[in-house]
Every structure is written in structure tokens, then in C-alpha cells.
Amino acid sequence: MRYLPHTTEEIGEMLAATGHERLEDLFSHIPQACRYQGEIDIPKPLSEWALNDHFIAIEKNIQTASAKAILVGGGSYSHHIPQIVTSLMSRSEFLTAYTPYQPEMAQGTLQGIFEYQTLTARLLGMEVANASMYDGASALAEALLMSLRIQKKKTSVAVSSAIHPHYREVVRSYLLAGSFNIVELETGPDGRTDLSKLQDIEDLAGVALQSPNFFGVIEDLETAGTAIHSVDALFISCFTEPFAYGLFRSPGQCGADIVCGEGQSFGMSQSFGGPGLGMFCCRSKYQRNIPGRVVGETVDIEGKRGYVLTLSTREQHIRREKATSNICSNQGICSLTAAAYMASLGGTGLRRVARLNYDKASYLKNALVECGARPLFNSPTFNEFVLNFADDFEPVRNRLIDKGIVAGINLGRFYHEYEGAYLFCVTETTSKAILDAVISEVRS
Amino acid sequence: MRYLPHTTEEIGEMLAATGHERLEDLFSHIPQACRYQGEIDIPKPLSEWALNDHFIAIEKNIQTASAKAILVGGGSYSHHIPQIVTSLMSRSEFLTAYTPYQPEMAQGTLQGIFEYQTLTARLLGMEVANASMYDGASALAEALLMSLRIQKKKTSVAVSSAIHPHYREVVRSYLLAGSFNIVELETGPDGRTDLSKLQDIEDLAGVALQSPNFFGVIEDLETAGTAIHSVDALFISCFTEPFAYGLFRSPGQCGADIVCGEGQSFGMSQSFGGPGLGMFCCRSKYQRNIPGRVVGETVDIEGKRGYVLTLSTREQHIRREKATSNICSNQGICSLTAAAYMASLGGTGLRRVARLNYDKASYLKNALVECGARPLFNSPTFNEFVLNFADDFEPVRNRLIDKGIVAGINLGRFYHEYEGAYLFCVTETTSKAILDAVISEVRS
Amino acid sequence: MTHGPGMNGLILDEPLLWEKGKKGRCGFSMVEQDVPEANLDNLENLLGDGPDFPDLSEIDVVRHYTRLSTWNFGVDTGMYPLGSCTMKYNPKINEKMAAMPGITTSHPLLEDKLSQGTLQIMFELQKFLAHITGMDAVSLQPAAGAQGELTGMQIFAAWFRKKGEKRNKILIPDTAHGTNPASAALCGFKPVAIKSGADGTLDVKVVTELMDEETVGIMLTNPNTLGLFEESIRDVTTIVHEKGGLVYCDGANMNAVMGVVDFKRCGIDVMHLNLHKTFSTPHGGGGPGAGPVCVVDQLKNFLPVPRVKHEKGRYYLEYDHPDSIGRLHAFFGNFGVLVRAYSYILSMGAGNLKKASQLAVLNANYVREAFRDVLHLAYDKPCMHECVFSDKMQHKYKVTTLDMAKRLIDHGYHPPTIYFPLVVPGAIMIEPTETENRDDLDQFVAVFKDVVREAKENSERLREAPTRTKLRRLDETRAARKPCLIG
Amino acid sequence: MTHGPGMNGLILDEPLLWEKGKKGRCGFSMVEQDVPEANLDNLENLLGDGPDFPDLSEIDVVRHYTRLSTWNFGVDTGMYPLGSCTMKYNPKINEKMAAMPGITTSHPLLEDKLSQGTLQIMFELQKFLAHITGMDAVSLQPAAGAQGELTGMQIFAAWFRKKGEKRNKILIPDTAHGTNPASAALCGFKPVAIKSGADGTLDVKVVTELMDEETVGIMLTNPNTLGLFEESIRDVTTIVHEKGGLVYCDGANMNAVMGVVDFKRCGIDVMHLNLHKTFSTPHGGGGPGAGPVCVVDQLKNFLPVPRVKHEKGRYYLEYDHPDSIGRLHAFFGNFGVLVRAYSYILSMGAGNLKKASQLAVLNANYVREAFRDVLHLAYDKPCMHECVFSDKMQHKYKVTTLDMAKRLIDHGYHPPTIYFPLVVPGAIMIEPTETENRDDLDQFVAVFKDVVREAKENSERLREAPTRTKLRRLDETRAARKPCLIG
Ligand SMILES: Cc1ncc(COP(=O)(O)O)c(C=O)c1O
Ligand SMILES: Cc1ncc(COP(=O)(O)O)c(C=O)c1O
């Protein structure tokens, strides 16, 4: 086997050096009762080429593999990824390194993460960012836990019902054991979170909103921030689509205390939902409460600028059960990827692509409305929006699938009150020709 | 444009520094009569994504893109290429470097080529190898020219008619201007080169054979060598399929003076015939006559082992019109690829894969013969062979194409006397299932 | 410096991203604007200016990351014997498989019938991991080992909640990885430390004493973080089960025992695996990983949803599990990592997985023997995949583990894990993994012995190390005291 | 060392391939033997033992080449202002396009109908190159610039053969690239050197004197290897044509004049392009390249066969050209390189190609201005894509071009081309290309000026350079005197 370098002679000689006769003898102290019986039941080894054929067969079994377009977002977005990002991130010095415990051998990773933290903080208008969480959902859960740590005596958090339903499920899993109280805030008729009942909730440590929210609607974060701060809770702003901040004001500018969300849009392929990137920022006054790894600037003994993992006294390997989080491995190369992606875009490019998303989504939304569809909510949206149709949309959707276009998902899966309303997503990757095909199918 | 970094302001400042007003002014000394009129007539620029779509459309227009197997060789072979070879050779330090003129910045390339030369010489049983020629065909042409240089007074060369017809065409192009005499040696009834008339040729500087030859037949190189040396000519042995030497004796072992051929089989994809690799070896007594670049071992001023381009006094940049060849850029990364491929195989792997080629080709050949086909020649073959069929094979071949299998090419294109005989190739990449499909199609 | 690969060379400096660039440059290929510009009028107070990112050209970005990469060291560069991390070779073919367009473009929210291939990968991988561990059911959702632990702890909590029992202590050996107590605490459990026995493994007596009906059970690592197999595991699990408790096994060290140990037979109820260790997916400078959780039958209804099932040739997602602890990840975990592990298992087959474990253990024992007279051996017993030494024999030269580690860097090796596990002061934890060949081990041993010799003969040199890297020793205290986290 | 990116760093040593490995190891994934073993009996005296190659595991091979790569410097690493070589950025997307499975698996000997897509690429690229140069017909077969020259010379020879004229001299300026006279000689022509005029360009008078009816014509480079445009080109071509001669232009320096110069209007009959220069395909440490040949209408029947044609929506290969010089390559040349150039041209479009030339010329003139007071300028005229200096001003410090070049390495730059063209003793030929940005040019200039200052203040330091590379200055004389070409 090409991954196992030992020749038979070497094994013999090495066994002699360790005082064993056969490889099995290395395990002689393992009790019989613990032993594996027989051979592991998995397929016989495939050569590199047979493996390739096997994957080609699997790919044929992925029915969207040849789709022309998938106009669905909901937390996983199709964006163009420059080839340089993919090529650079596959350099083995980045890819096959461990967490940078030995900074002298990992300055590439460390400077790269420091740059990621900086660009992330700039994007979100915040003062401090960490080196990544697993994904947007667990980042939100950790943000809420962080608000409970900061506001030690409080036991409740409030979460907008317009936050991605899966994110709210993850929040529930993470907070369940702590016997914290999670209040869901209703969505108003404008598709924005209804904050009018905040005052009624006791012991509120943090309030979380998502913008653009699951319905694609841009929340009025500034107004929300004022309301949240007025009940002395931390304002947590989350997102699934960071491209929005190329066009819209950042959560930081609107007064958020913690900002977190999913960074997959920045250079990671969709890959059935992972790996993505949990982005996480906060005000610097909370930096010692932040979960996860952080990289900080320092100098070496000759005074040269360099980077190290820092604030580790928050972390599990030092603090153990008192750590701010249990996170250890995180999304390393994904954070570097996001930084490379942001660098490729630049400020000018980010704005331009964000605008394209907005323009293209608006084009489809307006055209479908002209065809008789009704927006579920009338507030401004970015690259996602929800429509109701006079007739059942499912047959149209199926016809489009036959043409290689998957358009929208039924919101009923997530909100039974919105059964039959469809969530669409249009990004810069969709050409007008595709959008026109959808429009004409709806029209016909 | 993302490849052009200059901002408008920078252009302005730089123009000021060079004393120009507009970019056009940089060209003011170019006579009007030489100027390009209007804009270049090429398509408007495509974005990275539009380009990708364009290439996908082209790929759809390559009718073999989805073929299951192509059982055709004739100088271009389908072999498995380990992913590591592809991944390593795309490292930009190798790929984006120039010819190693500054050895202190190019030891990676230089050691890599030195290793390539060494493995090549070992494979072919020779003493010296160069750093590559353009392809097998021009390597053969250069080998014949080299024999004429070595045997200064002689003006004739003889070339087996069983050498790849395209190689012979290239030889003709290269030798034409020198008004040298090229004699073609007939193929005997055993499919081997008929050397019986060598004595009749005057002034013979070199004689070239190919083994396995274009018919897939293994020449009896040792006997041929004796015959060639007996007329005081240099024995040039060429090849299109180096895998053969995993199983068969090397040309060097059989007495060849110059060995050359195509190295595409060693890790290069077929890519419509290029880039491949011209491999080129000779006895060390002829090393100062060798064409092309060579790398040699030396030491640095601290005595450490290192590598440099050497014997450059043979070359065009020093010798100009008296150079041993006009070659400058050659097949750099392809030679490194071949070395990485040979290293991945190792001696054990090369032998094993060569054997597999032989076994699989024999399986098809024997089965088709059982179905009534007749080998054009009865001598031993490696992974290619020629068959005649009782009935026209073309309809069978077309049916197979419809099933995604391209089997054989009609020799009539190259030798009208062999019209209707088909040259087949089977390598380790073809499964028994494919071979059985061919067999049953022939049978039916 | 007689044996090692370390030497000087030219590498290039590179500023921070925003110290480069010029407004108006662009490294991104812009798409055509093929639709009319939309109206922005109704957005006024929502619109922003966009972030202050540097504008770079494509070559600027390429050179930036190319240069940064040259300051790094990966498994492809050289030996990386970082204990507990299983830094084995990461096959390139797995990267290619994970990058297949059909896979990278698949969307996680579509109906099952559009995602049969991706579901197939998950279903089969679940089955493979169940067979490899001996456990009954698997969830691939956890994004890393620590999240696997959290999942396991939540299953513990859900189990007792369902049984209506209020327990809140959990036994955790003092050798446990830091994530273990942290994960338990996240679930509201109170970790009770178990001191490991004189031989570095669990003392059955201590477990018997501590295990009671207020304790949810035990969370242990096997093989443990000293590289030792917990030989009394069956007794320990029996004791815990007798008191109604559950047993969690941190299976991050699975690389030592594939095809050798059956965890269900050991009495384990829940365990996680680190695919980014045992199953060869690259670590990416800190991630992403994947930490699937395996359970025995009686706990399978507590696994996260959705679960991937297969029936009548159809793969599907199943959500309806009222006992489930819910969701841990927005979608299905780090799917791309799962693809790589799946590809690895298919490449290896049963025989090679077992062989990998055998050779990993052989390599560790070989190294252990080689150092026994120059480094203090923490526990003198046959080890599994890794061996733990300390700097005790170097104290007299005022040389620490850190000094030796940094000096190894100068010789071109990534240092072993140091100062972990905490129970061994000045620990040096070496895990060679099975993909290192004997010649390379011999060279590593020779170099390390040189370093040990230097500790005696030229200790200043060690304290000054590393000297050959781009930067010398970094001031970590300063970084922590006045954190500068963004530029 | 105040401005430059150069500094020390850790890079690793690595032995030769055969100094590693162990018989029986294997880095190759072996295919299943699914057919019976064939009989070897009739092969006895033909069978061999196979070569003595080292057996390595996959990780051995990976580390070997990963480490070797770290001893190299490419365009992705940093500035590579190698004159005459056009070391511009090589876009990654072109690599991806060339690696598309449909392209990499296409076989060159199949019938046209199975290869429409590949023929389409060739046909369109031919057309693009014709339009870019202004010429009428193109062959993509030559595998490099030098083979393009050979092709051109053969066309010259065939033309005169067909006309029944016996001519055998050819005029070649003394600034010509070495491949020019070598290619001419390969065709049996006798090069006659033309001394370039005092301003570095051709002197019409000299051409008039030398051109006669025994001369096939002239082979010139434009822009020439001094980076100057041959302003009298129209006069020169007229003179040559008047004597019945033909004009060959080495178009390797096309990067300076895309969209600016029309070569047919200049009177050129045959020219070649270096796709691995102007059209951004990577140099691969020495190749592969591609050297397409462009001709005017009257010579198109002499182009190599097969030619790629297009009619009624069908692409096809045409062989029937009795005047053709025949074949230069076993198949169609370095097709994979052609794909990259095609991809580049499609990405750029007309406007950007012209812009690229403008910026290439701007960069060269900017550098030329910057150095004019510290380095001797060989010819004080506006330059095109490159500028040529010499070490004349440094003679007094006993510092040579070589010393300065080697010292630049220490600062993290690839040196310019040195000692070429031969007409400038101690030449330093700088071609920045358009993909270098202004900041990077400024830094390069500052560093080079530092080096020049050092030449005066600390010349020993230059003669010892480089000191920061893996190896110091290599003994080239020794290598040539006692060649050791294999290990
Ligand atoms: C024994 C052990 N358990 C758990 C973990 C945590 O795994 P992860 O880093 O994937 O969260 C690790 C990894 O460092 C480990 O070595
Ligand atoms: C001006 C000029 N002509 C010709 C050549 C030869 O091209 P190639 O190396 O592709 O054979 C070169 C390349 O070095 C060149 O710079």
C-alpha cells in the first residue's frame, strides 16, 4: 500500500529493536475481551483509478451535478470562486499543517489568520474577530452563551424567528443543558423581527437578529440595537450572507455587540453544506470572553513583528472546564480562504459583486411580481426573497428542474404558516438567460 | 483587468517620470506605416466564469470526452497518472520558473533534471541523457543529425520503415536542407526491420530502428546492433512507448549508441499529442555532441554539492551557428514530471505495470485471433499489435464508438499496403470488461 | 547538524495585505452586468459604504499567499511528530475527489431525490465507521472532535433526562484532553478528576470509589493521552454501568487500534472519532476537521437529526426522532472532510487499516526504545501510537522541553507535542504515525540525540533556538498582555 | 537590505532520489490483474530485468518534490525581470482549462469528427494570432521559438527551391538571439552577421550593401534584443524584397507591440511568436513552450502539415499541400500550451492585449529612467519592453555584472538577463513586464541602487554573493570540465 512505507525486512528489524516477534505482539497487552473479532467489514481496497471511477459513479448519482443553476440559498450560496483562491489554498504548507502551536514554523498560517481577523472586523464594523467557529449556527449559539457569560446573572436570551431555522435548532441544542431560557421573537408583517415585547422578557442577557434574515429581508439593525440596548441586553447580529455588507451598513455600524455568521460565501464551495466558516466578532471590551482561537501580533526576540495564538487562558487546553468554549480544531484553512477571497475582491470588487447580487435578484423578483407573484414581505431584500404564487408553484418548479434549474424552496418545511411560499436566491453567478427562463416558465 | 495592476493615477505618475503624456506617446517613434490599423479582431474579453463556460462547451464538442476507452496508441498512450505527480508538478516554484540560468535560485529544477537524466539513462541502459527534446520525433531527427556530425564525412542515414510514420516525416523535414540521403529500410514479413541490405548503402552515418516499432513488434535490437556496427554506422534506437523497457531489454543493453524517443507515457496526459517529452541518451564518448540542454553536478564555493546547466559550449547561445542544435526552451516541466512518475513507480512498479500492459494486450490479441482475426505479423509485441480481419472491421469499430469505445486505427492511413489492418493498443488502464465488450462485438 | 535536513535558505518577506494595494486595482474577474441596475431609492438608511479592504491585482494576491506559505511547515514538508495529533500523510487523491464539481456544487437544502450521491457517501461512511469501531450507529454531524464530545455529553444528558434521573457529575481522568472537561461543562456537568494510576492508566479502585448514582458516568480516552491502552477498560465500564452510568470514549487516538480493538466489546456507549487524525484528512493549519459520534443501539435515537437512511435503493434524510438531541450544525457537518475520509477508507480497505495501526504502534515503540537512555521515559510500558518522555534528565543543564523543541526546528523537524499531558511535567509526546519510514525515524532519532548532546555541551545554543527560521522565538506573553488582534 | 524582501529562512535539505527508498516500497497505486498472466516463453532473449529505480512510498515522493520546489524561485515567488524572457504572471485559470478531462484525454490520431473541440481551439487560436500580428496564415506546430525559426527557415528554403533559385546566405544582425543563426545553419544557410548601427538598430546602408541575389534574405528581431524598435524596418524589408529575398522576424518580443504594430505592413514574410512569453504560458523551468509561425499569403502553402481548417461548421485536418515543408512534430505541437494561450487571449480581449503592451513598455521606460544615473545605459533612446545597461560604471570598483546579479538574489529578486546581447559588454537586460506594479518596481529600483552603492562601499560583499541561498556560487567551470551528467 503506497501510504505505508515499511518493507517486510524493515518491519522485521524494527520488531527486533522493540523486542517483538510479530506485529500482533505489539498488542499482546490488550485484553482478549476487548479484541476486534475477524476483519473489519468494509469493501476491499480500491486503486486510485478504481476510486476515481467510483466517485464518477457517485457524481452521476448527484442529480444536481449537471444543473444549470440552483436558485436556492437559505444559508448556502453559490458565488464565483477565483481559481487563484483554490490554487493558493491547496498549497501543502497551508493545507497539511496543524494548528500553529509552534509559531516559528507557522508564520504563514498565523499572519494569514491575523489578516482574516482584520478583514472580518472591517467587514462587520467590529473591533475584534476570532480565528473561526465551526459554522454560522454554532457561532450564533456561542455568541448567545457569551452574552450569558458576560451578563453573568441573567438566564434568558431572545432569538428572532426570522433567524435561519437550523441556526435556532443548534442554539437550542447548545443552550439546552445550561437550562437557559430561549424566547423566540415573532416576525412582523414587514418580515422584520418584532421587538415590541422585549421589555416583557426578564433577565435578558442577549438578543439575536439576523440580517439579511432567513426571508432575505434587511432588518433595521440600528433601530433594533437601540431597542435591545434599552433593555440592557447585548445586541447579537448574525448573518448567513456576508456579501450583503458590500452594499448595506455593517452590524457594527448599527451598534451590535457581537456579530457572527456564516462565511461560506467567501471562497468556499457549497459542498452539501460544509465545510464553511463561522465568523465571529465582538467589541474589544469583551475580547477576553470570546470563544475560540485568536491570533495576536507580537515581536520575536530580535524585535521583528510576528504572530502567535494568544489569549489562550480562555481556552480548553489551559482552562479546561472553565474555558470560554470547548472549541479546539476550528475551520483553519477556511478562514485563510475567506481572507484570500476578500483580498481578491478588494473593497471595490466586494461592492461591485454585492451590487450585482442585488440587481440580479431584483430583476427576478420584479419580473415574477409582474407575472402575478406576491412578495411575502414588502421590506427591502438583498439576494434572497420570498414569493407567494396564485397557483401552486410546485409543478412549475418541477418543470424547471427538468430543464436543469432548481428554483426556490418551499418555506412550509420551516414555517408551516408559510406553506406554499417560496424562498429564492439569485447571485452574480446566474445569468439573465437563466432568470428569463424561470420567468417564462412561470408565465406559461 | 485583473492581470494588469496599474491604476490610472499610477499610469499618470509613471508617464510623468518617463516624460510622456499619454501611453500612446511611448510608441511615437514607430513609423505610421508600421502601425496596426484599428482594433485587433478577437472576441471581447471573457470573465473567468464565462471562459469556464466556453471551455465546457468546447469539451462537449470533443466527442471522445465521455469515451469509456480509447484502444489506440500509435505514439500517444493512455496510462494512469498518480494524483501526486499532477499536484507536485503544479507547484508554482517549478511551473513559473524560467530555464535555470541562475543556478542558486533554481536548485529544485536542476536537481530534478539531474535525477531525470539519471533515471532516463538507467531506463535506457545508457551513460548520458540530456534534459529533453521537444518530442520523440524531433529527438530522432536530432539523433540522426548527431550521427552525421560524429561521422563527419558521411552523408547517409537509414531509417526503418517500421518507425512511426510521423517521426519519419519529421526526420525528412529536419534533414532535407542538409541535403543528406535518407534510406528507408523495409519491414520484413516478421514485422521487423530488414537489415539485409545495409551493406549496399554508402556513407552510412547512422541507422535508426524503433522498438517496439510502429506495429508494436519488438525488434531484435541486439542482432540489429551487430549488423549496424558491422557497416560502421551508429546504432540509433528509438521508441514511442518507454514502458516496454520495464519488461524488455533496454536498447543500451543491446548496444545502441544513441537512444531517443517519446516520454509522454511517463506522467503526461495525452492532450491531443502534446506536450510530451523527447528523451535522448547517448554513450558518454559522444556527450559533447549531444543536442539540447544538460545538467551536471558540481560544487559551490563552500564545497557543497549542487547542479548547473553545463556543456553550454555546444549550445546556440554560445556557439550560435556552430551549435549542436538550435534548441533553447525544451520540455522542462515534462522532464521533471517523468522523473516524478518514474520515482512513483519505482523499479518494482515499472516492471509490474509493464507486465500488466503485456498481459492485457495479449488477452485482447489472443481473444480476437480466436475470433478469426489474423495478426499482420507474428513476432512478439508489447502493448500494441496489428490485426487483419476476415470481414471489414470498420462497421464493428463504428458500433463500438457508439458504445463509447474507440478500438484501433486503420493502418492504411500510414501504409497503403496495410489498408484494412488495424493497430490496437491496450494498456493497464483498460479493464477486462472493456476488452470483453470489444471481443463480443467482434464475435457478433 | 550532521544528520538533519535543516539548513538556511532564501525565503522572502511579505507585508500585511493592507500594506499593499492601490484603490482601483482588482484581482477579481468581474461578471457582466446583464440586467438593468436596480433601484436603491428605498434603501437609503440601510445602505453602507462597504468595508475598507485593500484593492490588489491577481498577481499581488498570488505572491502574497505563495510567500506566506513558505514560512509554514506541513506534513508534506517533513516529519511532524506532534503527539495526540496523528500528523500522517494526507493523500492528494482525496483532495481531488472532494473537489469533484458534482460534489462541490451540491446544495444542502434540496429534496433527497436531487442529492442521492451525497447522501450515499454519508450513509456508507456511517456504516464504515460503525464497522471500524464496532459501534452500532453513527452521526457525521460534529464538525470536530470537541463538537463530537459535546454531542456525546448531550446524549448523556438526554438519556438521563428521559429516564428522569438528575445526575450532574462526570468522571474525567487527569490525563484527558482539555476539550473533554470543557465539553462536559458546556453540558452543565461537573467534571470530577480521576488521578491516573502509577502506571499511567486508570486505577479500577479509584473509579469504584468515585462512581455513584449522582454521576452520569465516565469520559475517558483510549488509548489514553499517555499513549497507553486502558487495560482495565472492561472493569471500568462494568463498574460505571452497574451504577447506571454511561461510558464516553474519546476516540481521537483510534489510529492505534483499527481492526484490533472493538469499542462496543470494551463497554463503550458513546465515542467520537477525529477524521482529521485517523482518517488522514488534512488539518489545514487548524481545521476543518470532523468528529463523528458513534453509539450503541440503545442510544441511537438520541443522535442528532437529520439522520441518513437507506431503503429500497433510495437514500433519505430522517428527521422524526423525538429523543434526538437536535442539531449541532447548520447542515450536515464538514461534508468535504467526510468525503476525504470516505475516499481514504475505500483506498485502504480492512487489511491496510489494521496494518496502519500496527505500523503506527511499531513506529512509536521503535522511537521509544531509541530514546530510552537519553530522555526520561514517563511510564516504562509498551506504548501504543505515541510515547511520552520528559526533560527530567536535562534539568541539570537548565535545559527545558521548550528549548529542545525549538532546537529541533533548526534541524528541520516539527517538534513533538510539549507540556501535555499535564500529568507529566515537561512532557515530550512523540507520535510518529505509520506513514514515516524507518530511515526517516532513524534520522529523527539521530538529530534529537544531537540536540540532547547539545543540552549538555552547548546549552546556550538551545536556549537561543530557533535561529534558522524566518522569526526567532516569539514573545507570547506580550501578545497576551496587550492583545493586538487586528491590524 | 533596507527595502528588499530578501531574508533568511528555514528550508530543508533533500538527497537524490536514489539515495532514498527501499526495495519493495511502492508509491504507485497498482491496478488489479483482471486478466490471466500471458505467456512469456517466446520472449526469452528479448526480456530484461527492468531498470534500477529506487522504490519509494507516496509520501517519500511528495516530500522529495515539495522540498526541491522550495529551492526554486518562480514568477509566483517574486519579480523575475529576465530580459528577452517576458516573465509575466501566468494565470492559474489557464492551468485549469488545460487540465479539463476532455482535453487531457484526447487522442491525436483519431478521425476529425471525434476531435471537433480540440480542432476548434487550434483553428480559433490560429485566427487570433493572425489577427494579432497582422499576418495571413499560422501554423501552431512548432514546439518552441527555436523550432518556429527552423520552420521559417525551411519555408525560406522551400520557397527558393520551388523558384529554382540557389541562395544560401542569410543576413542576421549581431544582436540576434543565439537560436537565430543556429536555426538558419540547421537549414544549411550561412549566416552573415550585420553589425547594428550606433543607435542599436539596423543601418539601412549596411543592409543594402550586404543583400544580394545569393542571399535568401534577412532574419531580424523586432523589437530587437536591445529592446529597441527597428525604425527602418520598412526600408530594410523593401531592400530585401527588391533583391528577391524574404524577411523573417523573430517575434519573441511581441509583448511590446500588440495592437500597435502590424507586421505584415512592416514587410515581414514569416515570423514566429513565443506563446510562453507574450501569451503568458508558464515556462516550467525550461519548457514546454510553443512557437507558432505566421506567414503572408504567398507562403501559406509552405506551412507544415497538417493544417487545421473550418468549413460548414466542421473542423478538419488538411494534409494535401505538396509545397509544404512537412511535419515538425509528431502530432500538433505542444497542444496543452496552445490551450493556455487561447485561454489567455480570450480573457484579455483586444483592448487589454494592447494595454498590456503599453504597460510593459511603460514599466521598462520607467525602470530605464530610474537607473540612468547609476548604471551605464547602453543606448540612450526610448526603449520598448526592456532596457539594457552595462557594468561600465562599476568597473572602477572591480565589480562585474555577475556580482551585482548574484547580490540581487540575496535581496530576493531574480537577476535580469546578463551578458546578453553580446554587443553590449557586461550587459544587464531588464524586462519588467506589465504585470509588475509600480510599488514593486520602486522597491526593485531601490534595492538595485543599494547594490550599486555596495559596489562602491563594500564590493567584497558583492563578489561573495549570494550568501542567503541554499547554495552559494556554483562552480560552472568544474561542471563543464569533468562533466558528471548522471548519478
Ligand atoms: C485526544 C484528543 N481528544 C480530543 C481532541 C479535540 O479534537 P478537535 O481538535 O477536533 O476538536 C483532540 C485534538 O486535539 C485530541 O487529541
Ligand atoms: C528573442 C528570442 N528569440 C528566440 C528565442 C528562442 O525561443 P525558445 O526558447 O522558445 O526556443 C528566445 C528565447 O529565449 C528569444 O528571447
Side-chain angles (χ1 to χ4, degrees), chain B residues 64-133:
Chain B
T64 52
S66 52
K68 291 202 203 84
I70 300 179
L71 306 183
V72 175
S76 175
Y77 301 95
S78 163
H79 289 292
H80 284 314
I81 302 175
Q83 183 57 33
I84 56 166
V85 173
T86 312
S87 298
L88 292 167
M89 291 303 125
S90 69
R91 283 185 61 86
S92 62
E93 292 91 335
F94 290 134
L95 193 63
T96 72
Y98 201 76
T99 302
Y101 290 143
Q102 296 289 345
E104 298 85 358
M105 289 190 114
Q107 282 300 303
T109 295
L110 286 160
Q111 178 169 329
I113 296 179
F114 183 76
E115 292 172 340
Y116 160 76
Q117 291 175 181
T118 304
L119 296 182
T120 298
R122 289 187 187 187
L123 175 77
L124 302 173
M126 300 298 285
E127 291 152 13
V128 169
N130 78 5
S132 83
M133 310 300 286

Side-chain angles (χ1 to χ4, degrees), chain A residues 123-136:
Chain A
L123 176 78
L124 302 172
M126 300 298 286
E127 290 152 13
V128 169
N130 78 5
S132 84
M133 311 298 287
Y134 302 134
D135 69 346

Side-chain angles (χ1 to χ4, degrees), chain C residues 295-367:
Chain C
V295 299
V296 290
D297 255 326
Q298 67 171 357
L299 295 174
K300 69 167 184 275
N301 290 336
F302 296 90
L303 284 174
V305 281
R307 293 176 58 193
V308 186
K309 294 296 182 68
H310 183 230
E311 210 169 76
K312 303 202 191 108
R314 226 187 100 245
Y315 298 95
Y316 61 98
L317 293 169
E318 207 178 59
Y319 291 89
D320 190 23
H321 287 283
D323 287 342
S324 164
I325 59 162
R327 221 180 232 288
L328 267 301
H329 190 273
F331 301 110
F332 310 108
N334 285 330
F335 182 77
V337 177
L338 306 178
V339 175
R340 290 167 174 86
Y342 174 70
S343 168
Y344 176 72
I345 294 171
L346 285 174
S347 301
M348 293 290 277
N352 286 317
L353 286 182
K354 182 168 182 178
K355 188 86 180 274
S357 286
Q358 290 174 330
L359 296 176
V361 173
L362 177 64
N363 275 1
N365 277 286
Y366 184 75
V367 166

Side-chain angles (χ1 to χ4, degrees), chain A residues 81-91 267 337 340, chain B residues 48, chain C residues 99, chain D residues 96:
Chain A
I81 303 176
Q83 183 59 31
I84 56 165
V85 173
T86 312
S87 298
L88 291 167
M89 292 301 125
S90 68
R91 283 186 61 87
T337 301
Chain B
E48 198 170 324
Chain D
K96 187 180 170 205

Side-chain angles (χ1 to χ4, degrees), chain A residues 13 35-37 41 59 61 95 97 102 104 109 117 166 173 249 272 298 300 305 330 348 397 413 432, chain C residues 19 34 46 55 69 72 102 106 109 111 117 131 154 265 284-286 327 330 406 438 472 475 485:
Chain A
E13 289 159 17
R35 295 295 183 98
Y36 201 93
Q37 308 290 299
D41 176 21
E59 200 180 34
N61 210 10
L95 193 63
Q102 296 288 345
E104 298 86 358
T109 295
Q117 291 174 181
H166 290 176
S173 307
R249 292 177 73 198
F272 212 44
T298 186
D300 77 354
R305 180 170 79 178
N330 44 87
T348 311
R397 185 170 179 276
R413 262 168 77 184
K432 179 166 175 295
Chain C
E19 293 167 356
D34 58 358
L46 299 172
D55 284 355
S69 78
N72 251 25
S106 63
L109 284 184
E111 44 271 54
H131 291 168
Q154 285 174 340
R265 295 187 79 216
R327 221 180 232 288
K406 296 296 184 197
R438 190 215 171 158
R472 304 281 303 280
D475 188 344
L485 309 184

Side-chain angles (χ1 to χ4, degrees), chain A residues 1 3 5-6 13-14 24 27 29 31 33-37 40-41 43 45-46 51-52 54-55 59 61 63 72-74 76 84 91-99 102-109 111 114-115 117-119 122 127 135 166 169-170 173-174 176-177 247-249 270-272 274-275 287-288 296-302 305-308 310 316 320-321 326 330-331 333 340 344 346-348 350-352 355 358-360 380 397 413 432, chain C residues 15-19 27-28 33-34 38-40 43 46-49 51-55 58 64-65 68-69 71-76 80 85 87 91 97 100 102-104 106-109 111 113-114 116-117 120 131 146-147 150 154 161 176 178-179 183 185 187 231 256 259-260 262 265 282-288 325 327 329-330 332 334-336 342-343 346-348 350 352 358 363 406 434-435 438 471-475 479-480 483-487:
Chain A
M1 210 296 150
Y3 306 154
H6 301 65
E13 289 159 17
M14 292 173 76
E24 287 69 26
F27 301 91
H29 57 295
C34 298
R35 295 295 183 98
Y36 201 93
Q37 308 290 299
I40 304 170
D41 176 21
L46 297 179
L51 182 73
N52 205 60
H54 178 73
F55 267 91
E59 200 180 34
N61 210 10
Q63 288 68 6
V72 176
S76 175
I84 56 165
R91 283 186 61 87
S92 62
E93 292 89 336
F94 291 134
L95 193 63
T96 73
Y98 200 76
T99 301
Q102 296 288 345
E104 298 86 358
M105 289 188 115
Q107 282 300 305
T109 295
Q111 178 169 329
F114 183 76
E115 292 172 340
Q117 291 174 181
T118 304
L119 296 182
R122 290 187 187 187
E127 290 152 13
D135 69 346
H166 290 176
E169 287 180 44
V170 173
S173 307
Y174 265 77
L176 188 65
L247 190 59
F248 295 104
R249 292 177 73 198
Q270 298 182 271
S271 286
F272 212 44
Q287 71 190 14
R288 289 184 194 270
E297 192 172 288
T298 186
V299 292
D300 77 354
I301 53 169
E302 290 174 352
R305 180 170 79 178
Y307 301 91
V308 293
T310 192
Q316 43 76 23
R320 299 179 77 85
E321 65 268 23
N326 70 334
N330 44 87
Q331 303 292 106
I333 196 77
S344 295
T348 311
L350 175 66
R351 193 161 185 79
R352 181 91 203 87
R355 186 65 208 267
Y358 180 74
D359 291 345
K360 289 189 173 234
R397 185 170 179 276
R413 262 168 77 184
K432 179 166 175 295
Chain C
L16 290 158
L17 274 170
W18 48 92
E19 293 167 356
F28 199 84
Q33 170 99 27
D34 58 358
N39 199 333
L40 297 179
L43 304 178
L46 299 172
L47 286 179
D49 300 320
D52 176 22
F53 286 176
D55 284 355
E58 188 164 312
H64 184 76
Y65 286 100
L68 256 55
S69 78
W71 309 343
N72 251 25
F73 186 97
V75 171
D76 282 10
Y80 216 124
C85 299
M87 293 299 281
M97 299 298 97
M100 288 185 83
I103 286 175
T104 56
S106 63
H107 194 287
L109 284 184
E111 44 271 54
K113 73 162 195 271
L114 299 180
Q116 288 294 297
Q120 177 189 347
H131 291 168
Q147 210 184 25
L150 177 63
Q154 285 174 340
R161 217 165 31 239
T179 50
S183 301
C187 264
E231 293 176 32
V260 175
D262 180 320
R265 295 187 79 216
H283 285 77
I325 59 162
R327 221 180 232 288
H329 190 273
F332 310 108
N334 285 330
F335 182 77
Y342 174 70
S343 168
L346 285 174
S347 301
M348 293 290 277
N352 286 317
Q358 290 174 330
N363 275 1
K406 296 296 184 197
E434 74 278 8
T435 59
R438 190 215 171 158
L471 296 181
R472 304 281 303 280
R473 260 190 230 193
L474 286 146
D475 188 344
C484 165
L485 309 184
I486 67 168

Side-chain angles (χ1 to χ4, degrees), chain C residues 374-376 390-401 404 428 451-453 455-456 462:
Chain C
V374 298
L375 289 174
H376 173 73
S390 82
D391 56 1
K392 211 170 185 174
M393 288 164 75
Q394 282 68 44
H395 282 174
K396 53 179 173 291
Y397 312 119
K398 296 203 161 54
V399 161
T400 64
T401 288
M404 290 190 281
I428 302 169
V451 171
V452 169
R453 207 170 302 126
K456 187 171 158 190
L462 270 65

Side-chain angles (χ1 to χ4, degrees), chain D residues 213-231:
Chain D
E213 265 131 32
E214 280 167 19
T215 303
V216 292
I218 191 168
M219 184 175 204
L220 51 79
T221 304
N222 198 14
N224 72 19
T225 57
L226 289 165
L228 305 175
F229 189 80
E230 295 288 354
E231 295 175 33

